[in-house]
């Protein structure tokens, strides 16, 4: 059974940092693109970051470029999102998501974690 | 990285059909056959309903179908059921060096 379990969310002050982690199991983690998708309270979905199978490609939404870093550790079947210089508008539920195999970041997420809430507030 | 355009709401009675549109540009929806649709019930993670414009993952009822014409993709839900009431999001590949993009979402109400 495919499982994605996020951790690391919480309350942080503006300008602060958080590191989200996602523990994956039940599939060959190293074969898939992996993604972070967020959803602000009462708002729609936003694709935050994507990372290719070997980590050689990373893509970010413009609003987080230079502040967020996506990474993966295939030996630990884990995905990470380092979030620095956090802003109020980064407040959202952050989902770890399994994207497809293949060479391009298709918008096809077949498994999602339960989500972890990040709240940026003083 | 502009969001795709969806109507904020749609509705239909049980048994009817409803179509939700998703409009992008030639750089995303119109340029590639990589459009997906997700269903999200309140308080839960999204669920993949359609991928690559018109393909259904196993377990998704054939009442759900997808299509595309030019820069606009569409999701049709036939034989509406009460459990279809949810938010629906489209998403498209947006080319090299870009994340996929989502639409703003459509709230489907079953009357």
């Amino acid at each position: 059974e495919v499982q994605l379990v996020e951790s690391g969310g919480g309350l942080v002050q503006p300008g602060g940092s958080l590191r989200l982690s996602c523990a994956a199991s039940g599939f060959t983690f190293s074969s898939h693109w992996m993604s972070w998708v967020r959803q602000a309270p009462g708002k729609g979905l936003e694709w935050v970051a994507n990372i290719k199978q070997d980590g050689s490609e990373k893509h970010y939404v413009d609003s987080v470029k230079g502040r967020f870093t996506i990474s993966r550790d295939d030996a630990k079947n884990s995905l990470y999102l380092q979030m620095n210089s956090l802003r109020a508008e980064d407040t959202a539920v952050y989902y770890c998501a399994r994207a497809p195999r293949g060479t391009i970041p298709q918008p096809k997420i077949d498994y999602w974690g339960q989500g972890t809430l990040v709240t940026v507030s003083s | 990285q502009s969001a795709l355009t969806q109507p904020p709401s749609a509705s239909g009675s049980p048994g009817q059909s409803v179509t939700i549109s998703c409009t992008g540009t030639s750089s995303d929806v119109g340029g590639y056959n990589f459009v997906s649709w997700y269903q999200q019930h309140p308080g839960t993670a999204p669920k993949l309903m359609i991928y690559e414009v018109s393909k259904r993952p196993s377990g998704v009822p054939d009442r759900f179908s997808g299509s595309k014409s030019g820069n606009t993709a569409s999701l049709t839900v036939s034989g509406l059921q009460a459990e279809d009431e949810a938010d629906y999001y489209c998403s498209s590949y947006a080319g090299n060096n870009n994340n996929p993009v989502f639409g703003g979402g459509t709230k489907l109400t079953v009357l």
Side-chain angles (χ1 to χ4, degrees):
Chain A
E1 179 192 6
V2 172
Q3 285 196 318
L4 300 169
V5 180
E6 302 98 336
S7 60
L11 175 65
V12 62
Q13 292 189 339
S17 298
L18 273 181
R19 189 193 196 208
L20 305 183
S21 298
C22 172
S25 61
F27 66 101
T28 305
F29 181 77
S30 59
S31 294
H32 289 262
W33 285 81
M34 293 297 295
S35 303
W36 289 100
V37 175
R38 69 183 178 185
Q39 187 168 35
K43 302 297 185 182
L45 301 170
E46 183 176 49
W47 217 298
V48 176
N50 255 339
I51 185 168
K52 196 175 180 180
Q53 290 92 332
D54 58 2
S56 61
E57 282 187 41
K58 302 176 184 181
H59 305 293
Y60 300 92
V61 66
D62 284 347
S63 59
V64 309
K65 285 180 180 176
R67 300 188 299 122
F68 289 13
T69 301
I70 188 172
S71 62
R72 63 192 296 160
D73 184 336
D74 289 352
K76 295 182 177 180
N77 289 344
S78 293
L79 178 71
Y80 305 101
L81 186 67
Q82 178 67 44
M83 304 186 294
N84 299 330
S85 302
L86 282 160
R87 307 167 180 168
E89 53 265 35
D90 296 317
T91 294
V93 172
Y94 285 73
Y95 292 101
C96 170
R98 188 181 88 163
R101 306 176 184 183
T103 59
I104 65 169
Q106 285 189 53
K108 178 190 174 189
I109 294 177
D110 54 0
Y111 287 95
W112 301 69
Q114 83 285 355
T116 187
L117 178 62
V118 172
T119 303
V120 185
S121 175
S122 54
Chain B
Q1 295 180 345
S2 300
L4 308 174
T5 301
Q6 297 180 235
S9 63
S11 63
S13 299
Q16 289 186 332
S17 293
V18 65
T19 297
I20 299 170
S21 63
C22 170
T23 302
T25 69
S26 58
S27 296
D28 39 61
V29 174
Y32 311 94
N33 287 323
F34 293 122
V35 176
S36 298
W37 289 90
Y38 298 90
Q39 176 192 66
Q40 187 180 34
H41 289 108
T44 68
K47 175 186 177 182
L48 180 67
M49 304 302 284
I50 296 287
Y51 67 99
E52 293 177 16
V53 175
S54 59
K55 296 178 180 178
R56 275 188 312 275
S58 67
V60 172
D62 60 6
R63 302 185 294 103
F64 291 85
S65 62
S67 62
K68 191 185 85 167
S69 177
N71 295 336
T72 298
S74 298
L75 173 72
T76 297
V77 186
S78 305
L80 271 175
Q81 299 181 5
E83 59 262 36
D84 299 334
E85 185 163 295
D87 293 325
Y88 291 84
Y89 295 90
C90 63
S91 183
S92 174
Y93 179 60
N96 291 335
N97 298 316
N98 289 313
N99 267 342
V101 290
F102 280 107
T106 298
K107 182 175 181 59
L108 175 60
T109 301
V110 180
L111 302 171

